[in-house]
């Protein structure tokens, strides 16, 4: 049996089987939890949502067929429950993302990296939201302010940054867990003399860490947020 | 700077915690015959009367409600084990590692829907409540130990509900200015868990 961790070796039988047996629902649950816990919007999982939507549609058709062909009402209601649970996960996932987009739409629009994390539908939604909000702010308040204060993004013409644009706080603490042993994490937070210390994470153990410190590891999928 | 992070977005409600806990697998003893169930979330069954089956908790509760099965309480949910755990919790500042991550949600669901399947349900319920109280109290005292110089506080073996409490408390901490000003300057809090 292959022993664990040689750099770049094939996954062991156990890992492989674990990969195979992770259902899409579990992956969706993980994406949902990550999205909930992360302060900024994460990458939209196109493949996962696509597959889950397909499975949901298939299941809805199956349930419809079964109910007309007089199947056992008990098993029918159980299938419906499973359907409803998966639907809830999907909806909640999409809803959280929309909430984040609504909060930070100007900030997301400014950054290519963040903008590209949205799905096509979300991009359309964000664009419309931005236009509507801009229009509203200009009509109701900004056009009535003195000329130097009319920008949506800046407090006044002399502001160096876009200080009227809300941004997510990336230094909030999040609960997370790593799938494998990780070392060399630099803590962004804490007394200055400790920042040079490198932090380690053991697999399967929960940690409360400043999001900024682990951002790249979350993006690469090595760390799960809870 | 305009805008502050909304802590409410990232916290799980009690119902959501229960939802997550409902995917935990439990043993049931069905009293009906039913073919395999090929759900989106997995395949379960077939069910044969009197033969123990493993199903997710939500399915077990659904079947139980319709009188189609009885639920086997998990091993940790018995008077002897829980008495041991309560003793251990009272005698040490550490958290016991004998309870599953979702013990609060699982026990609540079983009490609500399968009370008759639990022997000594009253005793079990009161033991679990005592254990919850002792553990919550420990979590609160541990959190109070944070001050400007704390780098890490190690709290092992938290359960889902307790983690939620920590989350809520930490998100309420004043977060203004730069990192050094935060009440919680801890570099990280290490939470071990049986997850």
């Amino acid at each position: 049996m292959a022993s664990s961790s040689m750099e770049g070796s094939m996954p062991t039988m156990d890992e492989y089987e674990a990969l195979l047996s992770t259902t899409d629902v579990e992956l969706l649950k993980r994406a949902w939890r990550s999205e909930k816990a992360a302060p900024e919007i994460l990458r939209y999982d196109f493949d996962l949502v696509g597959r889950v939507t397909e499975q949901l549609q298939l299941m809805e058709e199956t349930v419809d067929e079964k109910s007309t062909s007089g199947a056992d009402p008990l098993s029918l209601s159980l299938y419906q429950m499973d359907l409803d649970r998966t639907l809830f996960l999907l909806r909640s996932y999409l809803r959280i993302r929309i909430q984040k987009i609504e909060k930070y739409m100007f900030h997301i629009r400014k950054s290519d990296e963040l903008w590209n994390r949205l799905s096509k539908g979300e991009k359309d939604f964000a664009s419309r939201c931005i236009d509507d909000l801009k229009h509203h702010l200009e009509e109701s308040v900004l056009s009535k302010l003195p000329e130097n204060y009319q920008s949506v993004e800046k407090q006044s013409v002399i502001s160096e940054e876009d200080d009227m644009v809300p941004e997510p706080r990336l230094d909030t603490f999040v609960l997370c867990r790593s799938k494998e042993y990780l070392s060399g994490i630099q803590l962004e937070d804490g007394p200055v003399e400790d920042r040079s210390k490198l932090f380690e994470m053991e697999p399967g153990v929960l940690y409360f860490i400043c999001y900024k410190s682990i951002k790249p590891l979350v993006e690469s999928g090595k760390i799960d947020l809870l | 700077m305009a805008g502050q992070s909304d802590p409410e977005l990232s916290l799980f409600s009690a119902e959501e915690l229960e939802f997550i806990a409902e995917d935990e697998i439990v043993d049931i003893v069905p009293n009906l015959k039913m073919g395999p169930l090929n759900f989106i979330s997995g395949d379960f069954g077939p069910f044969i009367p009197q033969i123990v089956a493993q199903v997710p908790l939500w399915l077990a509760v659904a079947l139980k409600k319709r009188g189609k099965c009885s639920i086997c309480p998990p091993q940790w949910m018995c008077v002897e084990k829980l008495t041991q755990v309560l003793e251990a919790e009272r005698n040490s500042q550490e958290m016991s590692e004998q309870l599953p991550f979702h013990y609060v949600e699982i026990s609540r669901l079983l009490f609500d829907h399968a009370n008759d399947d639990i022997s000594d349900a009253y005793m079990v319920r009161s033991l679990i409540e005592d254990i919850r109280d002792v553990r919550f109290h420990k979590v609160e005292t541990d959190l109070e130990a944070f001050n400007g110089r704390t780098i890490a506080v190690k709290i092992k073996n938290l359960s889902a509900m307790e983690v939620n409490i920590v989350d809520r408390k930490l998100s309420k901490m004043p977060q203004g200015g730069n990192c050094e000003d935060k009440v919680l300057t801890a570099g990280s809090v290490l939470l071990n868990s049986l997850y």
Side-chain angles (χ1 to χ4, degrees):
Chain A
M1 180 167 90
S3 62
S4 51
S5 50
M6 246 168 44
E7 268 301 290
S9 63
M10 292 288 288
T12 64
M13 252 340 251
D14 288 331
E15 286 167 3
Y16 192 55
E17 279 168 5
L19 269 174
L20 281 182
S21 66
T22 308
T23 61
D24 279 340
V25 171
E26 272 170 43
L27 289 174
L28 183 58
K29 197 156 47 149
R30 206 181 287 173
W32 173 58
R33 293 183 88 145
S34 295
E35 195 70 63
K36 226 181 196 300
E40 56 173 6
I41 196 160
L42 301 174
R43 201 187 66 82
Y44 184 77
D45 203 329
F46 290 91
D47 297 328
L48 179 60
V49 174
R51 290 197 311 264
V52 172
T53 317
E54 255 182 57
Q55 288 180 49
L56 281 169
Q57 279 170 346
L58 204 59
M59 190 57 94
E60 276 177 359
E61 286 167 21
T62 316
V63 168
D64 278 337
E65 267 176 41
K66 285 194 191 207
S67 63
T68 49
S69 74
D72 165 31
L74 171 62
S75 75
L76 212 56
S77 74
L78 295 177
Y79 274 101
Q80 188 62 50
M81 281 178 78
D82 173 63
L83 199 60
D84 289 338
R85 285 177 69 89
T86 313
L87 209 48
F88 168 74
L89 274 180
L90 185 59
R91 283 184 181 141
S92 201
Y93 174 67
L94 296 174
R95 220 181 288 133
I96 296 178
R97 292 180 59 89
I98 289 184
Q99 278 178 326
K100 284 188 194 174
I101 293 176
E102 279 179 349
K103 274 194 91 164
Y104 304 119
M105 57 179 107
F106 289 105
H107 175 71
I108 293 176
R109 191 72 188 85
K110 277 176 14 180
S111 149
D112 276 340
E113 189 210 340
L114 291 178
W115 185 248
N116 288 327
R117 291 186 189 171
L118 270 47
S119 72
K120 174 93 182 35
E122 287 168 349
K123 284 181 181 168
D124 289 341
F125 169 73
S127 299
R128 286 199 320 267
C129 256
I130 288 176
D131 288 340
D132 285 346
L133 192 56
K134 246 186 152 153
H135 185 76
H136 170 69
L137 288 173
E138 279 162 6
E139 292 271 294
S140 56
V141 178
L142 293 175
S143 54
K144 302 182 171 61
L145 295 176
E147 216 179 281
N148 288 349
Y149 296 88
Q150 287 188 359
S151 154
V152 174
E153 285 106 9
K154 294 187 159 63
Q155 278 201 50
S156 75
V157 164
I158 48 176
S159 303
E160 285 164 8
E161 297 177 347
D162 288 346
D163 46 6
M164 286 310 285
V165 172
E167 284 180 27
R169 286 199 67 128
L170 297 182
D171 54 1
T172 49
F173 282 82
V174 292
L175 193 59
C176 65
R177 185 182 43 170
S178 155
K179 300 178 202 159
E180 49 190 52
Y181 185 77
L182 294 172
S183 61
I185 302 173
Q186 177 133 38
L187 289 181
E188 296 283 334
D189 197 4
V192 179
E193 58 272 13
D194 292 307
R195 285 197 201 167
S196 54
K197 291 202 187 124
L198 294 180
F199 191 64
E200 294 172 342
M201 282 179 72
E202 292 166 40
V205 173
L206 294 183
Y207 295 91
F208 232 135
I209 295 189
C210 182
Y211 179 74
K212 255 201 298 203
S213 312
I214 52 164
K215 196 160 113 78
L217 292 165
V218 173
E219 282 158 16
S220 66
K222 294 209 162 140
I223 291 190
D224 284 334
L225 297 178
L226 293 177
Chain B
M1 181 172 86
Q4 262 223 319
S5 198
D6 181 1
E8 299 312 314
L9 271 187
S10 65
L11 294 174
F12 288 104
S13 68
E15 292 86 3
E16 284 167 342
L17 278 184
E18 194 177 81
F19 179 78
I20 297 172
E22 282 173 340
D23 283 328
E24 296 285 307
I25 302 289
V26 293
D27 286 339
I28 58 164
V29 179
N31 57 25
L32 83 170
K33 195 160 187 232
M34 190 161 63
L37 297 167
N38 302 115
F39 292 151
I40 302 180
S41 50
D43 298 321
F44 306 103
F47 301 103
I48 303 171
Q50 308 314 317
I51 305 285
V52 174
Q54 277 79 42
V55 295
L57 189 49
W58 65 268
L59 183 53
V61 168
L63 288 171
K64 174 74 187 181
K65 272 186 184 169
R66 292 160 173 80
K68 304 293 185 190
C69 76
S70 62
I71 307 186
C72 312
Q75 287 182 344
W76 54 271
M77 240 175 106
C78 67
V79 174
E80 300 89 53
K81 200 69 188 316
L82 290 172
T83 318
Q84 260 178 23
V85 171
L86 184 56
E87 272 292 304
E89 294 282 359
R90 282 190 173 142
N91 291 339
S92 143
Q93 189 56 23
E94 303 259 309
M95 300 287 225
S96 155
E97 49 183 44
Q98 313 221 37
L99 293 174
F101 191 60
H102 290 288
Y103 81 94
V104 175
E105 301 90 296
I106 297 178
S107 57
R108 163 51 56 88
L109 280 166
L110 291 180
F111 286 134
D112 285 347
H113 302 288
N115 210 29
D116 50 336
D117 290 332
I118 307 172
S119 42
D120 280 326
Y122 183 73
M123 218 23 227
V124 171
R125 191 192 284 244
S126 106
L127 281 167
I128 291 188
E129 274 172 23
D130 289 341
I131 292 176
R132 269 181 79 167
D133 285 337
V134 174
R135 289 174 65 106
F136 283 8
H137 183 68
K138 280 192 212 174
V139 169
E140 293 195 329
T141 43
D142 276 340
L143 282 185
E144 274 160 30
F146 283 162
N147 57 37
R149 292 162 163 262
T150 311
I151 308 215
V153 174
K154 208 166 188 169
I155 314 177
K156 290 178 163 183
N157 302 325
L158 284 193
S159 75
M161 284 276 181
E162 288 141 14
V163 161
N164 210 27
I165 290 186
V166 173
D167 238 339
R168 277 170 203 274
K169 294 228 162 178
L170 287 179
S171 70
K172 285 205 175 100
M173 297 256 178
Q175 288 177 19
N178 54 26
C179 291
E180 268 85 5
D181 287 339
K182 280 196 219 165
V183 171
L184 176 57
T185 310
S188 67
V189 172
L190 302 177
L191 306 169
N192 265 323
S193 163
L194 282 178
Y195 201 41

